[in-house]
Amino acid sequence: MAGFLVDLAARPGKTSEIVILESAVSQLDDAGLPVYQTQLWETTDEGRTVTKLGPALDPKLFASTVEIPRGERDVGVFIAGVDPADDGRVYLRTS
């Protein structure tokens, strides 16, 4: 992990299992807008070791939070990020 810890969430009922959101500005694009390097990580041993959780997220996405649903029936819609070039555009995700 080389970026900044943005957020973390423990799996419900399994506090030793944590998902970590890491992000950093890796560069500025030609328009001067930030390009992010954002990755989810996971630990199953209270943070002693971490492993990547999937591929890196979209480099235009400003990610600010991570949530874990309580169960399969918990469904919600969350704002996952705001487009840095257009603050009227938000990215949504479901759980």
Side-chain angles (χ1 to χ4, degrees):
M1 292 178 42
F4 297 99
L5 172 70
V6 177
D7 195 16
L8 53 86
R11 293 195 189 278
K14 298 180 180 180
T15 57
S16 64
E17 296 182 14
I18 300 169
V19 173
I20 304 158
L21 174 62
E22 171 203 30
S23 187
V25 175
S26 61
Q27 65 187 35
L28 298 178
D29 66 12
D30 293 338
L33 298 172
V35 176
Y36 299 95
Q37 183 155 354
T38 304
Q39 179 70 50
L40 288 172
W41 297 83
E42 178 179 45
T43 180
T44 58
D45 58 9
E46 298 177 336
R48 288 187 283 280
T49 60
V50 294
T51 55
K52 283 185 180 181
L53 186 60
L57 301 179
D58 185 325
K60 293 181 181 179
L61 175 70
F62 173 73
S64 61
T65 188
V66 62
E67 298 290 331
I68 301 172
R70 296 182 191 269
E72 291 181 25
R73 294 183 181 207
D74 286 350
V75 177
V77 177
F78 300 90
I79 295 176
V82 177
D83 188 328
D86 179 2
D87 62 7
R89 176 181 291 166
V90 296
Y91 297 92
L92 303 177
R93 69 175 177 81
T94 61
S95 63

